[in-house]
């Protein structure tokens, strides 16, 4: 299994933007065949080095992850994320 973690630091850290972003990310669930699981966690610490949102996605293979990255649903969500994201960081690994 391939697991990809994306940390997102938002340009604006307010509850409305955080919830809209969370909803957009979770909205991919069930719409992309190769996406085995999607989980979204919101930071509760709010430290200077903290990110606001953690997206965890799971795939059966790297090929499935590559298919996900170009899937129209993911592309649309990515456009939204790029508008609200200040910085991001990713870690992808195999279980």
């Amino acid at each position: 299994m391939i697991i990809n973690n994306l940390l997102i630091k938002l340009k604006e850290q307010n509850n409305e933007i955080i919830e809209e972003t969370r909803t957009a990310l979770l909205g991919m669930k069930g719409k992309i065949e190769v996406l085995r699981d999607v989980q979204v966690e919101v930071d509760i610490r709010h430290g200077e080095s903290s990110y606001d949102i953690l997206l965890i996605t799971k795939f059966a293979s790297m090929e499935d992850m590559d298919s996900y990255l170009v899937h129209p649903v993911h592309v649309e969500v990515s456009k939204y994320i790029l508008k609200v994201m200040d910085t991001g960081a990713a870690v992808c690994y195999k279980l």
Side-chain angles (χ1 to χ4, degrees), residues 9 22 28 36 40 47-48 60 68 70 74 82 85 90:
K9 186 174 288 228
R22 185 178 177 280
M28 294 187 292
R36 284 266 180 103
V40 178
E48 191 173 310
Y68 157 82
V70 297
H74 176 261
L82 288 173
M85 182 173 71

Side-chain angles (χ1 to χ4, degrees), residues 44-67:
I44 59 171
R45 185 164 178 257
H46 309 296
E48 191 173 310
S49 65
S50 297
Y51 282 77
D52 301 301
I53 294 174
L54 168 63
L55 170 66
I56 304 166
T57 50
K58 297 180 181 178
F59 309 91
S61 66
M62 283 301 294
E63 292 79 14
D64 284 355
M65 184 175 163
D66 291 340
S67 295

Side-chain angles (χ1 to χ4, degrees), residues 1 12 16 20-21 26 49 56 60 73:
M1 178 168 296
E12 295 181 46
E16 183 180 337
E20 284 176 6
T21 304
L26 287 173
S49 65
I56 304 166
V73 171

Side-chain angles (χ1 to χ4, degrees), residues 3-50:
I3 300 175
N4 191 61
N5 295 300
L6 175 63
L7 292 161
I8 300 169
K9 186 174 288 228
L10 299 168
K11 291 176 185 174
E12 295 181 46
Q13 292 98 8
N14 65 58
N15 290 338
E16 183 180 337
I17 298 293
I18 289 170
E19 190 53 37
E20 284 176 6
T21 304
R22 185 178 177 280
T23 299
L25 293 168
L26 287 173
M28 294 187 292
K29 193 170 194 164
K31 296 180 182 171
I32 303 174
E33 311 77 37
V34 296
L35 182 57
R36 284 266 180 103
D37 190 33
V38 59
Q39 182 180 344
V40 178
E41 302 298 337
V42 176
D43 179 58
I44 59 171
R45 185 164 178 257
H46 309 296
E48 191 173 310
S49 65
S50 297

